């Protein structure tokens, strides 16, 4: 006989649901803790195991890598995704590739108005480089893959997001499907990697009037820019969760006799957050609106599958910095700097050294910190090898960034004497704190410290030469101190995300030890009794797990 307590301990759940909020710093939960109602965030914070101190342990805090980490329990050096787009020497020197784009596949059942220029039937205004997508760059298995392997494909695994990468990367190579939206129409689509046509239920959802309802809620009826105009509003979270419910119903998730998995990545926080920052009224409104949406989603799950049969996790793919001008107003060294000017300065110095009087571009375009990618073809032509090229860029970069200092002297204003910050205080200036070359990263020439480990976790090679630039904290690429904010750095605000669990095996409580998003997949894998994902480095969060039932004789 099992002890009484064991009756409620379900060894394997019917369904695992991982909710990922795109760009959500963990302290957003603390800020609004008293305002949350019902069983939205409270399901995790009051009835679940809530880890307040979860930090990504790598330096490239972006959407692609964050989602891959949540699925695989590994960092970029394990799963191969270090950015959203990158220069891939094996694929093109003309354009960057996205982390999931794959020209072997096509997007499925796009409306006629969204057919890309490289496919038959495209309208004259069609975008040129819309290709299919797949997890081709993902080098590690996910929790979903391990559930599928352990059940010989009986477990069913799905992803939902507004963004392709946020749907594909956390679900993995063997997922039954990943769905995301066509950005013009808002229709859900997928790639021929998964299927040739949308299932009937998804087509029915697209035609149900739900898109029009979301547009109406966003006051942009009939728009052809759904992603831009609806995607950044709370209405788009509701829209995504309604699609998730339709999926769970139609695919009969949780009724399979094994453990199914759904990853829902909610994109609106990111789209809005870049614009207004985490400290804005808009962000507060969205936090509270999402709380209501999660309450109704979890209530729906309870009514349809029973929460006793479901394990839930909550996390985010990265945090975010405060708007640099707002930080600077408080005296913190926030700066937005124009990386195009930095690139011009670096190119000018390299021309001076190696090609006097010419305007050779030594760096590949589209600055995308923390990486500065060299055009190795140009250096090779000049007879310069990788080590010398990367060392030179690393040496030139700090001066190029510092040369952007717009106000080397205190600005004398007619501010009142008690104004903050003091007139005598120098305005913040842009500064590079560290530069690492690709060769240093590849050869592990990093400090033997927590910091060195964090940098090492970011390393991936796409066949190009590059340096990794770490600006001072609160400094970022941008077009103005108040023109939004971003996330990309090793600093705490970009790495701090929620991690919380709800479900039968978890001991409710608030946990303050340092944990990481890599712990999510391995904790679920351990509890579900399957192998941890292939490159996983996480720790099973035993402190939050109820004791296993005693083994009776
Ligand atoms: Zn993101």
């Amino acid at each position: 006989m099992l002890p009484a307590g064991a009756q409620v301990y379900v060894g394997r759940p019917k369904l695992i649901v991982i909710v990922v909020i795109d760009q959500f710093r963990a302290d957003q939960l603390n800020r609004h803790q008293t305002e949350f109602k019902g069983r939205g965030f409270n399901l995790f914070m009051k009835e679940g195991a809530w880890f307040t101190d979860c930090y990504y342990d790598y330096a490239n805090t972006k959407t692609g890598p964050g989602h891959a980490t949540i699925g695989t329990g590994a960092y970029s050096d394990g799963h191969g995704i270090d950015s959203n787009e990158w220069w891939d020497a094996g694929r093109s020197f003309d354009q960057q590739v996205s982390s999931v784009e794959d020209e072997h596949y096509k997007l499925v059942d796009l409306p006629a108005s969204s057919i890309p220029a490289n496919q038959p039937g495209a309208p004259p205004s069609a975008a040129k480089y819309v290709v299919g997508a797949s997890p081709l760059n993902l080098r590690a298995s996910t929790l979903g893959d391990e559930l599928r392997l352990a059940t010989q494909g009986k477990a069913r695994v799905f992803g939902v997001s507004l963004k392709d990468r946020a749907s594909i990367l956390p679900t993995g190579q063997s997922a039954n499907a990943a769905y995301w939206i066509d950005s013009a129409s808002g229709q859900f689509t997928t790639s021929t990697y998964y299927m040739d046509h949308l299932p009937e239920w998804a087509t029915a959802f697209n035609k149900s009037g739900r898109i029009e309802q979301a547009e109406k809620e966003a006051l942009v009826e009939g728009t052809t820019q759904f992603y831009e105009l609806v995607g950044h509003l709370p209405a788009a979270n509701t829209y995504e969760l309604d699609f998730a419910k339709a999926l769970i119903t139609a695919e009969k998730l949780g009724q399979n006799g094994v453990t199914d998995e759904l990853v829902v990545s909610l994109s609106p926080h990111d789209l809005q957050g870049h614009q207004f920052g985490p400290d804005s009224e808009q962000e507060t409104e969205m936090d509270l609106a999402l709380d209501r949406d999660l309450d109704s989603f979890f209530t729906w799950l309870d009514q349809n599958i029973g929460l006793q049969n479901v394990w839930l996790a909550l996390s985010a793919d990265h945090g975010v910095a405060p708007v640099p001008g707002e930080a600077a107003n408080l005296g913190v060294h926030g700066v937005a700097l124009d990386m195009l000017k930095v690139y011009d300065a670096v190119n000018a110095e390299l021309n001076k050294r190696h090609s006097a009087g010419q305007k050779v571009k030594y760096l590949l375009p589209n600055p995308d910190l923390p990486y500065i990618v060299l055009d190795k073809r140009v250096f090779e032509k000049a007879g310069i090898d990788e080590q010398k090229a990367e060392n030179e860029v690393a040496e030139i970069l700090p001066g190029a960034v510092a040369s952007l200092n717009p106000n080397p002297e205190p600005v004398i204003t007619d501010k009142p004497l008690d104004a903050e910050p003091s007139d005598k205080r120098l305005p913040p200036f842009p500064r590079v704190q560290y530069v690492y070359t690709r060769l240093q990263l590849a050869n592990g020439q990093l400090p033997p410290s927590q910091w060195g480990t964090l940098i090492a976790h970011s390393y991936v090679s796409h066949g190009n030469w590059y340096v990794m630039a770490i600006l001072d904290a609160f400094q970022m690429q941008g077009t103005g101190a108040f023109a939004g904010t971003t996330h990309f750095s090793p600093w705490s605000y970009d790495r701090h995300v929620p991690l919380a669990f709800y479900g039968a095996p978890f001991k409710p409580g608030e946990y303050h030890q340092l944990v990481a998003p890599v712990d999510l997949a391995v904790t679920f894998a351990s509890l579900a009794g399957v192998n941890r994902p292939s490159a996983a480095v996480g720790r099973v969060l035993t402190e939050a797990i109820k004791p296993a039932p005693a083994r009776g004789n």
Side-chain angles (χ1 to χ4, degrees):
M1 275 291 286
L2 292 173
Q7 309 297 334
V8 294
Y9 183 88
V10 182
R12 290 182 177 81
K14 293 181 176 178
L15 177 63
I16 289 176
V17 179
I18 299 174
V19 177
V20 184
I21 309 174
D22 199 316
Q23 191 187 122
F24 193 83
R25 217 171 57 202
D27 59 318
Q28 285 170 252
L29 288 180
N30 302 76
R31 284 185 195 190
H32 304 302
Q33 196 171 356
T34 57
E35 297 156 84
F36 294 143
K37 305 265 193 299
R39 297 175 92 197
F41 287 121
N42 281 338
L43 190 68
F44 297 106
M45 296 164 77
K46 291 189 173 161
E47 300 178 54
W50 173 30
F51 287 86
T52 56
D53 288 69
C54 178
Y55 290 82
Y56 279 93
D57 192 25
Y58 63 4
N60 45 308
T61 40
K62 296 192 178 187
T63 297
H67 282 88
T69 291
I70 288 168
T72 62
Y75 292 112
S76 297
D77 60 342
H79 57 56
I81 308 292
D82 62 344
S83 208
N84 297 329
E85 296 90 27
W86 56 71
W87 290 100
D88 186 331
R91 290 172 78 182
S92 175
F93 278 98
D94 298 324
Q95 65 194 44
Q96 289 169 291
V97 296
S98 101
S99 53
V100 293
E101 87 176 51
D102 188 342
E103 56 274 19
H104 300 100
Y105 304 99
K106 289 184 201 166
L107 299 186
V108 163
D109 293 344
L110 292 178
S113 54
S114 296
I115 295 173
N118 55 343
Q119 286 179 33
S125 60
K128 220 174 178 172
Y129 294 115
V130 183
V131 294
S134 83
L136 84 165
N137 293 309
L138 191 66
R139 297 181 201 151
S141 69
T142 60
L143 172 68
D145 288 329
E146 296 300 335
L147 290 169
R148 303 238 329 129
L149 286 165
T151 58
Q152 292 79 53
K154 205 169 175 217
R156 298 169 60 70
V157 173
F158 293 90
V160 172
S161 176
L162 298 187
K163 303 180 182 181
D164 52 7
R165 57 184 176 274
S167 183
I168 292 170
L169 296 173
T171 46
Q173 299 161 352
S174 72
N176 296 80
Y179 295 102
W180 60 92
I181 64 160
D182 164 48
S183 60
S185 66
Q187 287 192 18
F188 276 92
T189 183
T190 184
S191 163
T192 51
Y193 177 82
Y194 302 101
M195 62 188 82
D196 288 339
H197 290 287
L198 288 174
E200 270 176 39
W201 66 264
T203 303
F205 182 90
N206 282 338
K207 291 183 177 162
S208 67
R210 190 61 188 81
I211 293 173
E212 292 74 11
Q213 186 194 326
E215 290 176 355
K216 199 171 171 190
E217 285 163 16
L219 307 174
V220 290
E221 283 166 86
T223 181
T224 54
Q225 294 177 272
F226 187 96
Y227 185 83
E228 287 79 11
L229 299 183
V230 184
H232 72 290
L233 294 169
N237 277 326
T238 327
Y239 178 66
E240 277 192 50
L241 289 166
D242 278 356
F243 185 81
K245 286 193 263 185
L247 187 158
I248 291 168
T249 305
E251 299 291 353
K252 300 186 167 57
L253 294 193
Q255 302 176 37
N256 226 343
V258 292
T259 301
D260 296 327
E261 187 202 41
L262 173 67
V263 182
V264 185
S265 169
L266 299 163
S267 314
H269 267 87
D270 186 67
L271 303 188
Q272 175 179 268
H274 277 289
Q275 208 178 341
F276 299 115
D279 307 309
S280 59
E281 271 173 43
Q282 290 90 337
E283 196 73 355
T284 295
E285 274 174 32
M286 189 176 275
D287 292 348
L288 298 178
L290 179 56
D291 183 50
R292 295 190 289 274
D293 277 342
L294 290 177
D295 179 26
S296 51
F297 180 59
F298 297 147
T299 303
W300 182 90
L301 275 179
D302 196 21
Q303 287 160 354
N304 287 275
I305 301 177
L307 280 181
Q308 73 277 15
N309 301 312
V310 181
W311 297 350
L312 299 168
L314 173 75
S315 195
D317 58 340
H318 48 76
V320 66
V323 172
E326 293 174 10
N329 275 347
L330 296 172
V332 172
H333 293 180
V335 170
L337 71 154
D338 184 346
M339 282 303 292
L340 292 175
K341 287 188 180 157
V342 173
Y343 269 41
D344 287 346
V346 173
N347 276 321
E349 177 60 26
L350 288 166
N351 274 295
K352 212 162 95 185
R353 295 184 186 188
H354 304 298
S355 43
Q358 297 179 53
K359 287 190 171 170
V360 178
K361 291 201 181 331
Y362 287 87
L363 304 179
L364 287 170
N366 300 336
D368 190 13
L369 289 172
Y371 303 106
I372 291 175
V373 185
L374 283 56
D375 192 334
K376 65 176 180 180
R377 300 168 305 175
V378 175
F379 283 98
E380 278 171 342
K381 215 172 140 190
I384 303 167
D385 68 10
E386 178 173 7
Q387 182 150 16
K388 182 162 163 36
E390 289 175 355
N391 286 349
E392 280 203 23
V393 173
E395 174 214 330
I396 294 167
L397 193 69
V401 167
S403 73
L404 292 193
N405 188 0
N407 300 306
E409 299 298 328
V411 184
I412 307 300
T413 69
D414 53 2
K415 276 201 284 186
L417 279 175
D418 58 351
E420 289 182 282
S422 151
D423 279 357
K424 293 190 180 60
R425 191 184 289 177
L426 286 168
F429 55 89
R431 183 177 170 277
V432 172
Q433 187 156 156
Y434 301 102
V435 190
Y436 303 102
T437 66
R438 190 199 73 82
L439 282 173
Q440 282 178 314
L441 296 172
N443 298 327
Q445 292 165 333
L446 295 164
S449 62
Q450 284 188 0
W451 175 262
T453 305
L454 179 153
I455 298 296
H457 285 159
S458 311
Y459 177 65
V460 179
S461 171
H462 303 295
N464 277 308
W465 304 350
Y466 65 83
V467 301
M468 189 171 185
I470 313 289
L471 300 175
D472 272 13
F474 303 99
Q475 304 197 351
M476 63 195 73
Q477 183 171 339
T479 52
F482 293 95
T485 184
T486 192
H487 50 84
F488 68 100
S489 80
W491 306 121
S492 65
Y493 49 78
D494 281 343
R495 297 193 290 118
H496 191 194
V497 292
L499 181 63
F501 299 89
Y502 171 85
F506 295 101
K507 248 191 309 194
E510 192 176 319
Y511 298 84
H512 291 274
Q513 51 268 59
L514 181 65
V515 296
V518 290
D519 302 335
L520 191 162
V522 300
T523 297
F524 273 155
S526 175
L527 287 168
V530 300
N531 284 316
R532 55 171 48 195
S534 59
V537 294
R539 176 175 75 84
V540 179
L541 297 172
T542 51
E543 62 271 41
I545 297 174
K546 289 175 187 164
R551 292 172 199 280
N553 291 320

